[in-house]
Amino acid sequence: MNPPELTTLLPTAQAPSADRLPLGGLLALATAAFITIMTEALPAGLLPQMSHDLGVSQAWIGQLVTMYAIGSLLAAIPLTVATRGWRRRPLLLIAIGGFALVNSVTALSENYWLTLVARLFAGVFAGLLWALLAGYASRMVAPHLQGRAIAVAMLGAPLALSLGVPAGTFLGTVVGWRLSFAVMTGLTLVLLGWVRWQVPDFPGQSAEKRLPVKQVFVLPGVTAVLFVTFTYVLAHNILYTYIAPFVVSAGLTAQIDQVLLVFGLAALVSIWVTGLLIDRRLRSLVLASFALFVLAAVALLLNASSAATVYGAVTLWGLAYGGVPTLLQTALAKAAGDSADTAQSMLVTVWNLGIAGGGVAGGMLLESLGVMSFSWAVLGLMLLGLWVVFNARQQGFPVRH
């Protein structure tokens, strides 16, 4: 995400309006985020079907999420650094177009290992796309609208979780998981035309503003935000990647899509509240997010066999998670200043390290200790992250005076 200072890179002819949001372009970015999250998360809702069709265990299907994360983990920083001087829209189109390719391969593949390779490249394109989105949104508006613009661009993520993944899960259950990925390809092709029509082009970052990656990493507050990002995403993905076997253990076998829908709707409420308060209450919102996730984990520990408890905990979890991407990106942009683009690529890397770790750790916990171990893991990680946020009073998550 670019800080306000980077808007000076805009030529005068491309200066954004001071009074309104360019919703056509921002919603195109939100759709790109939607496709990215859908591509990432669909295997979580389709574990049983994909496991049966590809002839591997559900734990191995979980590694499709892991491989996606590894691709982003490996690509985000080097690709972002290598393309800092490129014009933004052609680069954005390349990243989006990659999803049409990899989702087509996934839909057609009969071989688990080919599907795994496709997921790796999906992660590569995702790493590049996530490094672009927040900064793109901030450059499309005047400085005083940047927080709202980023919230609109990030709206695609909770929409994917609330509507897209449940719909894709339902579609995959009724007519086969391959059609879900084929629909994603069609949506991506439409998006390419939308971006070309509605999203403006911007120059890349000038050479004099490019700090080395190591210098950006040690800027005050950057490390704290990245550490908090890792703990939160790791905890989230331990639970989300293996949500299907978790709800089955609670007797909700036929309600996986409904559980995901409740989570996503709560996430939508969360991002709406975040958009309203982020400029004034960033630290408070981050603390509240961790606290809600802790409450959800405690509820699941106390009575995970109750359907009412599961739905209540998932609601708390969704409220906790929905605004987190925007909150952490904003905190990192404030800490990194002019080096926000490079810091954003670090966040993408750490985020996907958390996704990959969640897939691996969740699979190990599932195979060795069972689904009830997820709640203990989530609780421990949340308390650790909450401690870091609480102590990052000066830099990272500063107290507003």
Side-chain angles (χ1 to χ4, degrees):
M1 181 187 307
N2 290 326
E5 290 81 2
L6 290 187
T7 58
T8 57
L9 291 175
L10 288 168
T12 302
Q14 293 179 318
S17 168
D19 300 319
R20 63 184 181 87
L21 295 174
L23 287 178
L26 290 174
L27 290 175
L29 298 182
T31 304
F34 178 91
I35 290 172
T36 305
I37 294 295
M38 285 286 291
T39 302
E40 171 193 329
L42 264 180
L46 297 170
L47 279 178
Q49 296 93 326
M50 296 184 74
S51 173
H52 179 268
D53 201 14
L54 294 175
V56 296
S57 70
Q58 291 188 30
W60 278 106
I61 295 298
Q63 302 319 305
L64 295 178
V65 178
T66 304
M67 189 59 68
Y68 179 100
I70 289 173
S72 293
L73 176 69
L74 295 176
I77 292 177
L79 280 181
T80 300
V81 170
T83 59
R84 281 184 292 183
W86 290 30
R87 297 197 67 84
R88 300 291 91 182
R89 189 169 62 191
L91 189 60
L92 181 65
L93 290 171
I94 290 172
I96 294 171
F99 282 95
L101 175 62
V102 295
N103 281 326
S104 295
V105 172
T106 302
L108 296 172
S109 172
E110 299 283 349
N111 182 276
Y112 172 78
W113 299 105
L114 176 60
T115 304
L116 198 66
V117 171
R119 296 288 297 180
L120 175 67
F121 281 97
V124 169
F125 291 117
L128 178 59
L129 184 61
W130 279 121
L132 291 172
L133 284 180
Y136 221 122
S138 69
R139 295 180 72 175
M140 289 170 63
V141 298
H144 71 282
L145 293 176
Q146 287 178 333
R148 293 181 183 179
I150 293 165
V152 172
M154 293 299 108
L155 185 61
L159 280 175
L161 295 172
S162 63
L163 301 177
V165 175
T169 301
F170 175 77
L171 182 65
T173 301
V174 174
V175 297
W177 61 269
R178 297 181 186 278
L179 184 59
S180 294
F181 285 96
V183 168
M184 293 302 302
T185 295
L187 180 59
T188 304
L189 294 176
V190 172
L191 178 60
L192 288 171
W194 187 1
V195 169
R196 184 64 182 83
W197 175 43
Q198 287 286 310
V199 176
D201 191 13
F202 297 123
Q205 190 179 29
S206 59
E208 61 270 15
K209 290 185 176 288
R210 302 175 196 169
L211 284 180
V213 172
K214 291 181 180 179
Q215 291 184 29
V216 176
F217 181 75
V218 298
L219 289 173
V222 168
T223 304
V225 177
L226 293 176
F227 181 83
V228 167
T229 299
F230 177 72
T231 58
Y232 203 109
V233 177
L234 178 61
H236 169 75
N237 280 278
I238 286 174
L239 192 55
Y240 194 86
T241 303
Y242 297 97
I243 191 65
F246 190 91
V247 300
V248 166
S249 71
L252 301 174
T253 304
Q255 300 181 40
I256 295 174
D257 55 345
Q258 297 174 39
V259 171
L260 292 174
L261 177 61
V262 169
F263 173 86
L265 291 175
L268 278 178
V269 174
S270 176
I271 199 169
W272 176 70
V273 173
T274 298
L276 291 177
L277 301 177
I278 187 170
D279 291 327
R280 294 169 290 156
R281 296 286 186 269
L282 190 148
R283 176 179 172 84
S284 298
L285 288 171
V286 174
L287 289 170
S289 174
F290 272 85
L292 287 171
F293 208 169
V294 166
L295 288 175
V298 170
L300 292 173
L301 283 172
L302 293 176
N303 192 13
S305 62
S306 164
T309 300
V310 169
Y311 274 105
V314 167
T315 300
L316 291 173
W317 175 24
L319 290 171
Y321 181 77
V324 162
T326 302
L327 290 170
L328 295 176
Q329 288 170 340
T330 302
L332 191 61
K334 292 179 181 295
D338 286 340
S339 299
D341 277 343
T342 303
Q344 174 66 20
S345 70
M346 293 180 184
L347 186 141
V348 173
T349 300
V350 171
W351 193 284
N352 286 281
L353 183 61
I355 294 173
V360 173
M364 293 172 63
L365 290 171
L366 179 63
E367 295 290 330
S368 60
L369 300 176
V371 295
M372 288 307 301
S373 62
F374 294 170
S375 299
W376 286 108
V378 168
L379 181 59
L381 289 166
M382 284 297 96
L383 291 175
L384 179 60
L386 186 59
W387 179 80
V388 173
V389 174
F390 186 78
N391 286 283
R393 295 172 173 269
Q394 302 301 320
Q395 303 289 345
F397 304 96
V399 177
R400 292 286 186 92
H401 297 284

